Amino acid sequence: MKTYQIATIPGDGIGKEVIPAGQQVLETLAASSKLFRFEFENFEWGGDWFRQHGVMMPADGLDAIRHKDAILFGSAGDPDIPDHITLWGLRLKICQGFDQYANVRPTRILPGIDAPLKRCGRDDLNWIIVRENSEGEYAGVGGRVHQGHPIEAATDVSIMTRAGVERIMRFAFRLAQSRPRRQLTVITKSNAQRHAMVMWDEIALEISKEFPDVRWDKELVDASTARMINRPASLDTIVATNLHADILSDLAAALAGSLGIAPTGNIDPERRFPSMFEPIHGSAFDIMGKGLANPVGTFWSAVMMLEHLGEADAAARLMQAIEKVTADPALHTGDLGGKASTAQVTAAICELLAASKPRMAA
C-alpha cells in the first residue's frame, strides 16, 4: 500500500475550516480504496503564528515540508496584518522557494450551479488557466524612496526572463495538447507594454512551432475579459502572466458560479519539490468560525492533488462525488444561494465516497 506524506497548512480565516474538511474527505477516500493511505502533518503557520513570532512561517519552514509528497494549503490573509506581509511571508515564500512556476486553475460549471452567464451552456465554459507563478509582476523587484515627503516615489518592476517565459509557454502548450480541443489562447498586453510583453509574444510564437497540432491565438488582456463573457465557448486553455492570470482566474471562477468552488495547483512540473494545492477563495474573515464556508474548492483542489500523485481513479471518484453534491440544491452553501453548512457538505461527500468502489480494489 502506498503512503503519501501530505503537509496541511490551513493558514488564516476559513482555511482553518476547509483544510480539515479536505483532510477528512481524503482519509475517507483512502479508507474506501485500500490501495493507498495518507499521513498528514499540520503546520499552524499564518496570522496567528505572526502574532507570536513576528513572521508568517519559520525561517527554516521550507525544510520541514521539502520532502512531502504534496501540500494542501488553505488561505493567507488577516485583517490585522498588511496583505503584502501575509502573502509574501507564507504563500509566495512556499511557491517561490519550491519553484512552483505553473499555477493551474481549472474552471467549469459544475452540475446544479446557477452560473451568471445565462446564455452559456454548461459545456461552453470549460477552461483551464495557466498562470506564470514565479516572476512577472510578482517578482518582488522595486522599492520606495523619500517616504513621507512630497517627492516620495515607489516602483514595482515586472521581471520576465526568457527561461521563465519559455518554460511556462511549453507547459501551457503541452497542457493544451493533452485536452480534446488542443487549443491555447495566449494573453498579452504588448500594445502598451512594449518590452517584456513583446518578448512574451515572441517566445509564444517560437514555442508554438514545437506543437504544430495545437491551435493557438493571442488576445489582449482587456479584450479577453469581454471574450470570457460574450464568447466563452471560444476559449479552452489560457496562459497569462502572473498578474493577468490572477485577475482573469477570479473572473472565471465568478462566471462559473462562485469563488468558493474554484481550485488551484501550484505545480513544480519537474517534481524537484512538492507541489501545493489550494482553493482560491481567500480567508473570508467575515464568515470565519460560522460553519458557512464552501469546502468544494478545497475538495476540487484535492482532486488536482490526487491527479498529480498519479491516483487517477481516486481523483475521478472524488470529482464524481463533488458533482453529485453540487447537483443537489439542498447541499449548496451560502455563496451558491443555499443554507448548507461546511460540515453538511463534507459529510455528504464522505458518505458518497464510502459507498463508492474503486476500479482496482484489492
Side-chain angles (χ1 to χ4, degrees), residues 45-313:
W45 301 335
D48 290 340
W49 185 275
F50 181 87
R51 277 181 275 274
Q52 295 177 30
H53 304 281
V55 291
M56 294 292 289
M57 63 181 287
D60 61 351
L62 292 180
D63 291 333
I65 58 177
R66 185 180 305 274
H67 301 296
K68 300 294 185 182
D69 293 299
I71 304 163
L72 195 59
F73 184 86
S75 61
D78 188 300
D80 298 324
I81 305 171
D83 288 342
H84 67 279
I85 291 177
T86 59
L87 181 65
W88 282 93
L90 184 56
R91 185 184 175 279
L92 289 186
K93 186 172 182 179
I94 296 171
C95 290
Q96 295 190 353
F98 289 154
D99 200 19
Q100 296 165 345
Y101 66 83
N103 179 274
V104 180
R105 299 191 173 191
T107 304
R108 59 186 174 90
I109 302 174
L110 297 178
I113 302 298
D114 183 22
L117 291 182
K118 301 304 180 186
R119 292 175 294 169
C120 176
R122 194 157 67 89
D123 294 333
D124 291 342
L125 200 165
N126 187 347
W127 307 329
I128 189 159
I129 298 177
V130 177
R131 171 185 175 186
E132 200 293 313
N133 207 37
S134 66
E135 49 184 38
E137 300 83 359
Y138 296 176
V141 178
R144 294 174 66 181
V145 295
H146 309 302
Q147 292 187 43
H149 297 281
I151 58 171
E152 181 174 355
T155 61
D156 277 296
V157 181
S158 174
I159 299 295
M160 293 189 192
T161 65
R162 171 166 284 274
V165 178
E166 283 184 350
R167 68 183 185 177
I168 198 64
M169 286 294 176
R170 196 168 277 116
F171 179 89
F173 270 97
R174 282 200 194 101
L175 184 58
Q177 189 181 50
S178 72
R179 287 166 61 83
R181 293 174 63 184
R182 297 190 178 186
Q183 175 187 335
L184 177 68
T185 297
V186 176
I187 303 298
T188 186
K189 193 57 183 169
S190 51
N191 59 340
Q193 295 173 280
R194 58 198 178 111
H195 301 298
M197 292 307 302
V198 170
M199 183 182 78
W200 170 271
D201 291 353
E202 292 172 351
I203 293 174
L205 177 61
E206 292 172 12
I207 300 300
S208 72
K209 296 174 182 177
E210 300 176 17
F211 300 89
D213 57 337
V214 175
R215 293 183 299 112
W216 75 286
D217 65 343
K218 186 172 65 174
E219 187 80 75
L220 294 175
V221 63
D222 44 334
S224 71
T225 60
R227 181 174 169 184
M228 290 169 75
I229 295 170
N230 295 328
R231 295 187 294 127
S234 72
L235 294 164
D236 186 80
T237 308
I238 301 164
V239 62
T241 66
N242 217 327
L243 178 61
H244 292 164
D246 191 6
I247 297 166
L248 293 179
S249 58
D250 275 15
L251 172 60
L255 294 176
S258 171
L259 290 180
I261 62 175
T264 188
N266 302 285
I267 309 296
D268 168 27
E270 284 74 39
R271 298 176 182 264
R272 300 156 296 171
F273 307 104
S275 293
M276 182 165 69
F277 303 87
E278 58 174 320
I280 74 169
H281 51 55
S283 53
F285 264 72
D286 57 325
I287 61 169
M288 181 182 69
K290 299 179 181 179
L292 302 177
N294 190 341
V296 168
T298 299
F299 301 158
W300 197 348
S301 299
V303 170
M304 297 181 70
M305 185 185 80
L306 290 163
E307 291 171 341
H308 183 75
L309 294 173
E311 298 293 346
D313 179 60

Side-chain angles (χ1 to χ4, degrees), residues 5-21:
Q5 304 285 338
I6 309 298
T8 54
I9 307 174
D12 303 317
I14 61 171
K16 297 179 180 180
E17 300 169 62
V18 296
I19 294 305

